[in-house]
Amino acid sequence: MSDKHAEVAGGGFAGLTAGIALARAGWSVRLHEQNDELRDFGAGILLWRNAMLALEVIGVAPAIRAHGVVPDVYATSLNGEMFTPELAGYPYWAITRPKLHELLSDAARAAGVDIRTGSKAVGADPSGALLLADGTRLEADLVIGADGAGSAVRNSLPTLTQERKKYQDGVCRVLVARPEEFAGPEWNRVIDYWTLEPDAMRILFITTGPDTIYMGMMATTSNERASRIPIDPEIWSARFPHLAPVIELAGRATGGRHDAYQTNRVTPWAAGRAVVVGDAAHAMCPALGQGASVGIVNAVELAHTLGQYESVDEGLAAWEAKQRAMTDAAQARSAYMAETRTLAKGNGFTPEVMETANFVLDAATPETIALYPVPEVNR
Ligand code: FAD
Ligand code: 5PR
């Protein structure tokens, strides 16, 4: 067990996961969230096998399995034509973001993480200190910037270079109450409805529980009506007439949000005793549905790798050396998929695409790995 101390900026999925993993390894951890409440926006989320293995390591996976839904298949439809469904038997879970966030927050408190809300970070000192907006300087053996794509911690560290990119697409995300017509177990699936003409519009339909459906409604940002929150039912129903009943519900949903696809790639991830994890380090296109999952994996591996080194600096270097290739590949692949919209053609989950989801953490035991067998076709 460690006797070291960490200061974490950011109470999103990456920051909470890093906090739990370090606290369970004996670190004292204080976590700063700028908002007055701990929560997440953005409707629903897919957690792939890689994330589930990480969440097993920190003890949160059983609750995800209890509250989430295993989609029986991932079906793709282009202009109303259904391709052969994929991912039958693949171990992945759909869950609402508020639920995932609540489970991680509860686990962080249970692990002893000292959570400070309304606490805003403005930067880090590589010699080992987190700097807060109120002028406080908090010394630590490790400072983690898990403060999202706009990371103040990252921006305060001049040796971390970043490439930022914007893409043509954006997505409106809403959570709707699951209507009677979609109550049956045959709707416990992902259906990816595409149209590409005259411009791309897509509805990603994901059942997230007995009472909720997550709808990711993608369009080019130049299509203003289709990029609007609240959802404009008329423009969406004209393109997807058979989905009119759920589109109506989406139009009435509250708490939805629109995001344009934006990415950043940071090199290196650490400066002295300061390090970035999650979107602060590697925001990616959502096409693989892997942004949070990769952040969760890297956060768990960070704690695991640090446990193998006496010196934090050496541990950080070893961690980045191990996690970099998988992370870069996920970013490159999701960017390619977003740019080419290859998922619209069906049969998109090739073994190459599944590489990120199939990534196995060093921290996972053989017993854990055995809980999540990968079907032959997805290897
Ligand atoms: P964030 O979620 O941005 O959290 C950062 C936290 O830090 C926030 O709470 C913020 O308030 C706080 N903060 C910010 N600045 C400061 C500061 N200065 N001081 C203190 N606190 C601060 N990923 C998946 O794995 N599966 C999916 O299905 C999936 N779908 C997606 C769909 C879309 C449309 C998009 C856009 C993304 C999707 N993702 C998905 C990616 C995922 O949402 C992100 O990768 C993930 O939420 C990032 O988590 P994070 O903790 O790194 O950052
Ligand atoms: N997967 C998920 C998702 O929310 C999106 C995509 C893929 C879970 C965006 O709605 O391809 O853009 C995607």
Side-chain angles (χ1 to χ4, degrees), residues 9-16 32-35 37-42 44-48 51 97 101 119-122 146-153 171 173 206 214 259-261 277-280 282-286 288-296:
F13 300 140
L16 288 169
H32 306 264
E33 167 55 46
Q34 65 180 0
N35 292 323
E37 266 176 70
L38 276 182
R39 56 177 164 163
D40 188 80
F41 302 93
I45 193 160
L46 288 177
L47 291 171
W48 296 86
R97 283 183 182 248
H101 202 269
S119 182
K120 187 176 166 68
V122 290
D147 46 348
S151 175
V153 168
V171 55
R173 288 180 280 169
I206 304 181
Y214 161 42
D259 294 277
Y261 290 13
V277 299
D279 276 12
H282 51 69
M284 63 184 77
C285 286
L288 272 175
Q290 274 285 357
S293 295
V294 170
I296 288 169

Side-chain angles (χ1 to χ4, degrees), residues 118-164:
S119 182
K120 187 176 166 68
V122 290
D125 180 335
S127 70
L130 180 67
L131 313 174
L132 299 183
D134 67 4
T136 312
R137 177 188 166 94
L138 298 165
E139 308 281 335
D141 298 289
L142 177 67
V143 178
I144 298 182
D147 46 348
S151 175
V153 168
R154 178 199 61 220
N155 292 345
S156 75
L157 299 166
T159 54
L160 306 195
T161 62
Q162 58 170 319
E163 301 157 39
R164 306 197 76 144

Side-chain angles (χ1 to χ4, degrees), residues 292-304:
S293 295
V294 170
I296 288 169
V297 166
N298 286 348
V300 168
E301 286 293 81
L302 175 63
H304 177 74

Side-chain angles (χ1 to χ4, degrees), residues 197-358:
E197 303 299 333
D199 57 355
M201 280 176 68
R202 164 196 184 191
I203 296 182
L204 185 62
F205 173 106
I206 304 181
T207 301
T208 39
D211 306 319
T212 51
I213 292 171
Y214 161 42
M215 290 168 74
M217 305 173 78
M218 192 199 86
T220 57
T221 46
S222 56
N223 184 343
E224 286 168 23
R225 275 188 75 187
S227 303
R228 236 178 247 165
I229 288 284
I231 297 296
D232 177 341
E234 200 178 69
I235 190 167
W236 286 98
S237 297
R239 201 64 86 78
F240 300 95
H242 58 296
L243 292 177
V246 264
I247 291 170
E248 281 300 321
L249 293 174
R252 277 184 269 133
T254 53
R257 60 179 285 166
H258 176 268
D259 294 277
Y261 290 13
Q262 293 191 39
T263 62
N264 66 281
R265 180 173 178 275
V266 175
T267 336
W269 290 333
R273 295 177 159 203
V275 64
V276 285
V277 299
D279 276 12
H282 51 69
M284 63 184 77
C285 286
L288 272 175
Q290 274 285 357
S293 295
V294 170
I296 288 169
V297 166
N298 286 348
V300 168
E301 286 293 81
L302 175 63
H304 177 74
T305 311
L306 288 173
Q308 298 173 326
Y309 292 84
E310 196 42 54
S311 120
V312 168
D313 304 49
E314 273 178 65
L316 289 177
W319 166 72
E320 180 164 349
K322 266 193 320 182
Q323 301 307 114
R324 180 54 87 165
M326 175 276 287
T327 307
D328 283 352
Q331 285 199 281
R333 198 168 291 135
S334 55
Y336 175 82
M337 290 163 76
E339 278 163 353
T340 59
R341 305 197 172 105
T342 83
L343 283 182
K345 301 179 197 96
N347 307 304
F349 295 97
T350 59
E352 197 215 335
V353 165
M354 295 304 288
E355 234 174 63
T356 315
N358 289 340

